[in-house]
Amino acid sequence: MKARSIARELALLSLSQLPSSSEKLETQQLSNLLVAAVRTLTTEVEDALETASGEVQRANDRLLTSETRANDVQTARVMLQDGIQLTQSAINRLATAMQLPEIIQSATAAEPNFDIRRYALTLVNTVNQNRAEIDRTLEQALVDWQLNRLARIDRDILRIAVAEIEFLGFQDRVSVAIDEAVELAKRYSGDEGYKFINGVLRRVTDRLKQQAKEDRRQETGDRRQEKSEVKSIPTNH
């Protein structure tokens, strides 16, 4: 995995764990980012296992209290499948947490000139300092959804992508920012999460392109107006 992709992943996983002030962020070391990321993954594992345990228990209760009616058996089977999927998700999160240190080390060795810590902190700080504007951009692109109703991980994936596009020079490389966001969604969002993320960011970029066209049109109109006013100024002989 490329160093910049690792930095994005660290930013995503540590965003909710790190201090929001720029001064405090500057003191954070790579080890702090790693600890924050592992803490986020651990919390997700605990939540997934707790939910999985509940699903399995409900399935067991349904079987014990039923008279083996077909619909009860089917419901119990669905509950068990949900519990298994949640458990698998928890296992995957644990694997990610265990692999992160080695992945970071490998990426650093492969790209020694890229500062993973610096870019991850830049992403976190950019999102924190411009969150209101980033969220307005996302709200305008959401269809039949409210930003605060999205899962936290989906909100943060979207925020990081918009931060790169609007504030970190990815205006001419929007496809890169979108592709990276989609890959993060495939790793950390729900089954259909990456499609949702892709759709929202496509609408974001369409709106930004339209706004850029309107701004250029306005600038052209202003320049023409200025030239017209200059020409109309009477010349004293």
Side-chain angles (χ1 to χ4, degrees), residues 99-119:
Q99 293 168 357
L100 266 179
E102 183 177 352
I103 291 173
I104 292 171
Q105 186 178 27
S106 298
T108 301
E111 300 179 62
N113 294 326
F114 185 86
D115 192 335
I116 291 176
R117 168 191 171 274
R118 169 53 52 197
Y119 194 67

Side-chain angles (χ1 to χ4, degrees), residues 4-16 119-120 122-128 131 134-135 138 152-170 176-178 180-181 184 197 201:
R4 192 181 295 270
S5 298
I6 291 293
R8 289 187 182 95
E9 191 161 340
L10 277 176
L12 173 67
L13 295 175
S14 61
L15 185 58
S16 63
Y119 194 67
T122 296
L123 286 171
V124 172
N125 190 51
T126 302
V127 170
N128 286 337
R131 181 163 300 194
I134 290 171
D135 285 359
L138 289 170
R152 180 194 59 78
I153 200 74
D154 289 343
R155 288 199 305 270
D156 288 346
I157 290 173
L158 289 168
R159 284 166 172 161
I160 287 172
V162 173
E164 287 192 309
I165 293 169
E166 286 199 308
F167 300 101
L168 296 178
F170 275 72
V176 174
I178 293 175
E180 290 288 344
L184 284 174
I197 295 292
L201 292 177

